[in-house]
Amino acid sequence: SQTIHQWPATLVQPVGSPLSLECTVEGTSNPNLYWYRQAAGRGLQLLFYSVGIGQISSEVPQNLSASRPQDRQFILSSKKLLLSDSGFYLCAWSSRGMKVGGTEAFFGQGTRLTVV
Amino acid sequence: AQTVTQSQPEMSVQEAETVTLSCTYDTSESDYYLFWYKQPPSRQMILVIRQEAYKQQNATENRFSVNFQKAAKSFSLKISDSQLGDAAMYFCAYRSAEPPGQGAQKLVFGQGTRLTINP
């Protein structure tokens, strides 16, 4: 069965420090991968998505970047965190199926990031 | 670009009653998937129900059903016999069914509706 791991669960970082959040998927190959941010009590904002190794699409210009060094690994990074980067970050994967096999997204447990 | 709109930031319902959450979307595509997700206080995202746009029949999962109106680009969720455990944020989401390509695999969410169940 497929599983998705996201860590850490909670992170408190000072302004100006770097960030690295990691997400890995097991039990599937060639997945679509997504990073979302959720402000308190708000919706999910799509930050990045990837359809393959090294292929990253950015949805919102910001202080963050993403990389996909391996097929089932997706990393969210920042060189210098801002206060506005605080939030709840969710990683997700979905299959690359089309009409047959296209499925919903499966989510990690999320990372609560507080920038102080 | 595809967009998803949930016009009800908050809804409440009495336990055992029925409630309907609204969702509209904008797309120029003819084939796509629509989803409803539930996010309880634990913040884990849980799939509630899925609808393929090429299927005219509305999806049903136990107490959860949808009213899919393709021409109107509307996708509402009906929860029957509401239970205390249904209290959560509910998100509507859209994904293209087109072959992988520029933007085709993007999964877009609405802003969510917070559902409260009154005992």
Side-chain angles (χ1 to χ4, degrees):
Chain A
S1 63
Q2 302 90 358
T3 57
I4 178 169
H5 303 279
Q6 183 183 344
W7 68 94
T10 305
L11 192 60
V12 180
Q13 292 284 97
V15 170
S17 64
L19 172 74
S20 181
L21 302 182
E22 189 163 344
C23 174
T24 60
V25 181
E26 297 178 354
T28 188
S29 60
N30 203 23
N32 297 316
L33 296 171
Y34 308 89
W35 277 112
Y36 291 90
R37 178 167 60 198
Q38 185 179 27
R42 303 290 296 277
L44 276 70
Q45 179 186 34
L46 179 61
L47 302 176
F48 302 94
Y49 66 99
S50 171
V51 299
I53 296 175
Q55 300 180 61
I56 308 295
S57 296
S58 174
E59 286 296 295
V60 182
Q62 57 205 319
N63 187 40
L64 301 169
S65 62
S67 61
R68 185 171 177 171
Q70 300 180 43
D71 181 45
R72 291 169 291 175
Q73 183 185 29
F74 205 26
I75 298 172
L76 183 68
S77 304
S78 173
K79 292 182 179 179
K80 290 185 178 182
L81 283 169
L82 306 172
L83 288 173
S84 58
D85 292 323
S86 293
F88 188 66
Y89 290 82
L90 282 160
C91 179
W93 76 272
S94 70
S95 76
R96 295 188 64 192
M98 295 175 281
K99 290 190 177 182
V100 177
T103 69
E104 65 275 17
F106 300 90
F107 286 82
Q109 296 291 322
T111 297
R112 186 181 303 278
L113 171 66
T114 304
V115 182
V116 296
Chain B
Q2 294 83 15
T3 58
V4 178
T5 302
Q6 294 178 248
S7 59
Q8 305 154 315
E10 297 183 356
M11 293 279 286
S12 63
V13 64
Q14 290 296 123
E15 192 176 4
E17 296 296 311
T18 296
V19 63
T20 299
L21 308 183
S22 301
C23 172
T24 58
Y25 57 94
D26 186 25
T27 184
S28 58
E29 298 175 333
S30 60
D31 204 5
Y32 45 86
Y33 302 99
L34 296 167
F35 309 95
W36 278 98
Y37 280 86
K38 168 185 176 181
Q39 188 183 42
S42 67
R43 304 196 83 166
Q44 176 66 49
M45 295 290 285
I46 302 167
L47 178 70
V48 175
I49 201 165
R50 172 180 64 186
Q51 176 81 41
E52 290 91 345
Y54 63 89
K55 290 185 177 179
Q56 294 185 344
Q57 185 175 7
N58 289 326
T60 300
E61 288 287 343
N62 301 313
R63 297 182 294 107
F64 300 87
S65 61
V66 299
N67 183 7
F68 173 48
Q69 301 289 327
K70 191 172 184 179
K73 297 180 182 176
S74 170
F75 183 60
S76 61
L77 175 69
K78 185 172 80 171
I79 306 174
S80 303
D81 185 25
S82 297
Q83 300 176 1
L84 294 177
D86 295 333
M89 282 286 286
Y90 285 81
F91 294 98
C92 179
Y94 171 103
R95 178 189 152 179
S96 171
E98 297 300 315
Q102 186 72 21
Q105 303 295 308
K106 190 165 59 175
L107 179 63
V108 179
F109 284 81
Q111 287 301 304
T113 297
R114 182 175 301 280
L115 178 64
T116 302
I117 311 297
N118 300 314

